Amino acid sequence: MSTVDRIREQLTREDGVGSDAMESLALAYGFEVSQLNDRLSKCTNLLRKGLRSEAIQLANIRPNLFDWSASLDFPEVDDWLEILLFYQIVLPQRLNRDAVQQLQEAMVEEQPLEELLRQHRRLAIGKAPLSWRLKVLRAIANLDTGNGMWVEDLELWEKARLSEIPKALNRSIKDEDVDGCSKLAMELNQKNWTVQPPQELVAAANSATNRFEFTALCKELELVGKSLYDSFCAQDESECRLFGTQWNNLTAQLKAPLPKPIFEAAEPALLWLADLDDQNQKADSHQRAVETLVSKLDEGSSLMEIQKAYHAASSYSQDLDPTLESRYRSVTSELSLTAKRRTFLSVVGIASAALLAALAFGVWQWQSLKQAELMASLNTMQQLLEGRKLLEAKKFVDSLQTTKPGVAKSTEMIALAAELTGQLQTEADRADSFESYVKAADNQAPDRIDLANLVRAEELAATESEKEKVYRIRRRRQEYDRTQQDAQFAQLSSSLTTFVGDLSAIESKSKDELTAQDFEQLLNRHSDLMRQYPNVGSAGDTLLETVRKRLTGLRDSHSKLMLKQQNELAALTAIRRAASLEVFRQALDSYHTANPDSAISAEFKEAASEADNWTIVNDWNSFVSHVGAFGQGPTPELALKLEEELKKLKSIVEDCPALARCPDLEARIASVARRPEILNTLESSLDRNLISALVTLHGQVQSNTDQSVRVFAYFNQIDGKHKELENASARSGSGLEVIAGADGTVKLLSFRGPVKVVDQPKNLYAELVSTLRLRSADIVKEWESPLLLMINDIMKRPQVDSAVKEMLIVEVLEAATEGSYFLNSKLNETLVLLKQKRLRDTRWFDPQVGRDGLDPQMETRLRTSLGEAYRDIASSHSPIAKLADSKLTWVGSIQHDDNGQMQAWLSSIPSNSGSLIVVRPSTAPGLLRMEEAGQLTNGLAKLNAPSPSLMAGRPLFFMPND
């Protein structure tokens, strides 16, 4: 049975909720919520980083966060918390509903319809709050538009949600929960409602939100106003302007008149800033007026324009510059002699302008008085409403209708009058409710007075007469209760004597002898006493409470010991049953958090701190997989990738026992990585080789011997002359150009009789180059087999001189061994011998008896070594295959047995034998070690002798034997 099921069972018990059971349940519930909130925090951190898919993936790890949160946020949780508060039990940690909601929204945005349907079912099973379930249902309805069932469900659920919101809104208003009101207002103002929320509910939520926001703004303005006043007193203009800007920004957000005291506190500073602004404006205006006057004098403007500019410049308190004054007098005296009439008209215009300015000033002053009158009336009305002086406020509004109709018709005053009407109606409803509760509570028989209705009447009582009415009823009931208390107290004292004796007997037992049933029996008896004597007064309650505390103290001490053992066992079981390394790490952390005083807690904490090191196992397995692919088909691309991965591993891991399975791995990888380059070099060398352009000539030369010899000549010298050379009578007697040196120099050589032309070695070289070009991809991949076959073909090729064959074999074999670690180990000695022979036989171009067979001893050596190499190709990758079989699998962890000795705790046992590997920090900074911690043989695990690798909580990884 889960913790929530046990809580619900306690809540439905017929004999009432017992505090003894609730405290242990509160601890267990708090532990679960703490674990859940930790995972929720990690998920929300991922969401803040924009990693939504990763957050949802973490949330779906078993146990699924959505199912878990839905089960812990059961419908009766608020009632249960009130019971805990009543019993003065420490409240458990609350579920982070905002985090669940954020994850829920991320899931809705991320998942398709199928996942939404699964989530819909989970929330229904977990009885999640309607606000959560509505979001999922709306998303389903938007995706599955062809199914009208969702719209019907939406209507039903929205009606149910709208029935919940008023209670939640009232609670938020009562608790002055600004965020709660704001969220409810946002929910009600959404456009996606199928059933439109009642306007009065929306208005109430908006009004409460506005009122709270107005109060918050007023508090903030009060602080800014104080700072304004302080900076004004210090005559700090820059700071005063800074706070003035804040003041203006905040007042722009106000939706109602600001209370007068707050404004009056900031008014001196605001007036001072306005005066400074006015002075600065006048100084700027004076400067512009002087510049205008100078401009008019320089431009030779008319007398009227100059005089107007002069009057504008001299209308300020600052005197004009004497030079400018003298210049003005000189210019105007000259112009006045010829423009008296224009001057007269200018004076009249100036007088008219002054008259208009005076009239505008009067209008402005009248408007200012009207605005001040409006603000004063609004402040008065606001204060009456805040002071709950509703009748005075009604009279004030009525008086405004006749005395100040303009103020009464203002938008602000109409809003306040509407608020007054609502408050008057609320007051009338309150008075009616009070009378109904008083009537229901009162009764001639004092024992039949309804206390529940009396309490409601007391809560609603507002006037002194109402409070007096309630008091009289309360006093009658109290006098009756006092008589009952005296009688029950005497009976209780006698019953407690026996109870205390039994309690003393329980206290004398050792903790090992005690059981939960012992405490349960006494607590039930204590509850019976409380039910039997419900009216024993404060003295009796004190006696009962003293005995209860003594009993619950003993029970709690025993329960905490048992709970500690249970928690340790549960946390240890969670570690041993972890389904993944991430869950395993979380279980280690949870054990340390829940059991900080445990002997193994520190080891588990340290092991959990090494969790980042465990990821090297994934890197190793990825590397081993690539090694396996390399063994099946070694390509240069894979070789380069393996070189990079091996370099990375060696920069992190100081030692890994599996690498000993293929000690020559780096050499094997390096040889394969260079194959394309080696093959290109071979192809280029063969294509550009001098011998590739030669043909072979067989015939008798002009000498003392009649024996036929072979020489080499350039193909382009012989091309098209084959028949002529074979017909001795048709050939001219000047001789033929033949190769005379290794550098390709030629000489003339005379032949007697016919000359046979063989298009070798030109054709062989051309064939080899063509093969290398056309089959380069296959050769690079397979390498050993095609190159060995190529060498074998060269050895058997007829009509190709043995010296040329040997040079060609050296070149191909050198490339083959360079691109294959295996061939290098097999054929290197043969290659060295062949090179040494070629160093001795350097005059391959001299005329000599033609021979296409190799030296018998060298041919035997070549055929033997090539044959052995070809046969062993299949087994050449066995070391790589052994390394490929060294993947690491997480199989368990190191734990303490009952005697405190280290043992291997395996959650899964492989069928084959192998090594148990741990990953731990090396003594060298920044490096890790992958060490063998033990062996698994025939399903039995045995750890090595004590070593630094053995620490409780470290995961064990299985590596099969090679």
Side-chain angles (χ1 to χ4, degrees), residues 335-354:
L335 293 175
S336 62
L337 295 176
T338 58
K340 287 182 179 181
R341 185 176 181 182
R342 191 176 300 166
T343 303
F344 175 76
L345 293 175
S346 298
V347 172
V348 172
I350 293 171
S352 300

Side-chain angles (χ1 to χ4, degrees), residues 264-538:
E264 289 177 347
E267 187 176 20
L270 295 174
L271 291 174
W272 181 55
L273 288 176
D275 185 54
L276 290 177
D277 291 339
D278 185 56
Q279 292 178 16
N280 293 335
Q281 184 178 3
K282 287 181 178 179
D284 292 341
S285 299
H286 177 259
Q287 181 62 32
R288 287 195 298 272
V290 170
E291 292 174 355
T292 301
L293 177 58
V294 172
S295 175
K296 296 297 183 184
L297 292 172
D298 291 342
E299 294 172 357
S301 302
S302 64
L303 180 60
M304 184 176 68
E305 291 177 344
I306 293 174
Q307 286 179 333
K308 185 177 180 181
Y310 173 77
H311 284 294
S314 60
S315 61
Y316 298 92
S317 57
Q318 301 180 29
D319 295 332
L320 291 177
D321 183 69
T323 305
L324 182 59
E325 181 78 28
S326 174
R327 184 182 176 193
Y328 165 73
R329 298 295 178 191
S330 174
V331 171
T332 52
S333 65
E334 291 179 5
L335 293 175
S336 62
L337 295 176
T338 58
K340 287 182 179 181
R341 185 176 181 182
R342 191 176 300 166
T343 303
F344 175 76
L345 293 175
S346 298
V347 172
V348 172
I350 293 171
S352 300
L355 182 59
L356 290 173
L359 180 60
F361 177 76
V363 172
W364 172 82
Q365 190 173 27
W366 178 79
Q367 290 177 343
S368 298
L369 290 173
K370 287 293 184 181
Q371 183 65 24
E373 184 180 71
L374 173 61
M375 292 301 294
S377 298
L378 291 174
N379 286 334
T380 301
M381 186 64 179
Q382 187 71 38
Q383 291 171 3
L384 289 174
L385 289 175
E386 290 175 355
R388 303 292 296 173
K389 298 177 182 179
L390 304 182
L391 295 178
E392 294 181 29
K394 183 70 171 66
K395 292 178 182 179
F396 180 72
V397 170
D398 293 340
S399 67
L400 288 178
Q401 300 291 341
T402 56
T403 59
K404 299 176 182 177
V407 173
K409 294 179 180 178
S410 66
T411 305
E412 296 88 343
M413 186 56 72
I414 289 173
L416 292 178
E419 185 175 348
L420 170 62
T421 301
Q423 292 189 17
L424 285 171
Q425 183 61 44
T426 302
E427 173 61 20
D429 294 342
R430 183 204 65 77
D432 292 342
S433 298
F434 171 78
E435 290 298 334
S436 64
Y437 283 129
V438 167
K439 185 177 179 180
D442 198 5
N443 196 290
Q444 291 296 326
D447 59 323
R448 300 184 67 182
I449 291 175
D450 190 339
L451 292 178
N453 284 320
L454 189 60
V455 169
R456 295 188 181 96
E458 284 176 333
E459 293 174 349
L460 291 172
T463 65
E464 292 301 322
S465 63
E466 290 174 342
K467 293 177 182 178
E468 175 65 23
K469 187 180 296 186
V470 172
Y471 172 72
R472 285 197 300 270
I473 301 172
R474 173 67 72 180
R475 185 174 57 188
R476 287 171 50 217
R477 178 58 188 249
Q478 288 174 346
E479 290 174 354
Y480 170 79
D481 290 342
R482 194 175 299 113
T483 303
Q484 297 296 312
Q485 287 173 8
D486 294 340
Q488 290 192 9
F489 181 75
Q491 297 171 6
L492 174 65
S493 299
S494 175
S495 299
L496 278 178
T497 302
T498 304
F499 186 87
V500 171
D502 294 340
L503 177 57
S504 299
I506 288 288
E507 287 177 332
S508 63
K509 292 183 179 180
S510 67
K511 291 184 178 179
D512 294 335
E513 294 176 316
L514 294 175
T515 64
Q517 189 176 4
D518 294 333
F519 299 110
E520 190 71 22
Q521 290 175 353
L522 281 181
L523 284 167
N524 288 337
R525 288 174 57 188
H526 186 276
S527 299
D528 291 340
L529 288 174
M530 293 180 66
R531 286 192 295 272
Q532 188 177 355
Y533 306 110
N535 300 317
V536 292
S538 59

Side-chain angles (χ1 to χ4, degrees), residues 622-623 626-627 630 635-648 669 673:
S622 174
F623 170 71
H626 295 152
V627 168
F630 180 79
T635 64
E637 293 79 14
L638 262 178
L640 291 172
K641 189 171 185 177
L642 281 175
E643 278 185 335
E644 183 180 346
E645 289 183 351
L646 186 58
K647 181 179 178 182
K648 179 183 176 182
I669 294 172

Side-chain angles (χ1 to χ4, degrees), residues 759-787:
D759 292 339
Q760 295 287 7
K762 177 187 76 68
N763 286 352
L764 177 58
Y765 269 82
E767 182 181 336
L768 291 177
V769 169
S770 176
T771 300
L772 292 176
R773 286 176 180 171
L774 294 176
R775 297 191 60 228
S776 60
D778 294 335
I779 294 173
V780 166
K781 183 178 180 180
E782 299 173 9
W783 196 260
E784 290 88 357
S785 176
L787 289 182

Side-chain angles (χ1 to χ4, degrees), residues 163-237:
S163 67
E164 291 180 351
I165 289 178
K167 186 185 296 184
L169 180 61
N170 291 335
R171 190 185 310 118
S172 297
I173 293 173
K174 183 179 178 180
D175 298 340
E176 296 185 359
D177 183 0
V178 181
D179 290 339
C181 281
S182 178
K183 288 179 179 178
L184 289 172
M186 288 177 61
E187 183 179 357
L188 288 169
N189 285 294
Q190 287 177 355
K191 304 299 184 184
N192 55 1
W193 287 91
T194 305
V195 178
Q196 291 303 314
Q199 289 300 318
E200 58 273 16
L201 180 59
V202 178
N206 291 336
S207 176
T209 303
N210 292 336
R211 186 163 65 254
F212 284 138
E213 290 176 351
F214 178 78
T215 302
L217 278 173
C218 287
K219 289 180 180 178
E220 196 169 353
L221 280 166
E222 189 173 2
L223 294 175
V224 175
K226 186 178 181 304
S227 301
L228 257 176
Y229 184 77
D230 292 342
S231 57
F232 164 67
C233 293
Q235 294 293 293
D236 187 342
E237 182 182 352

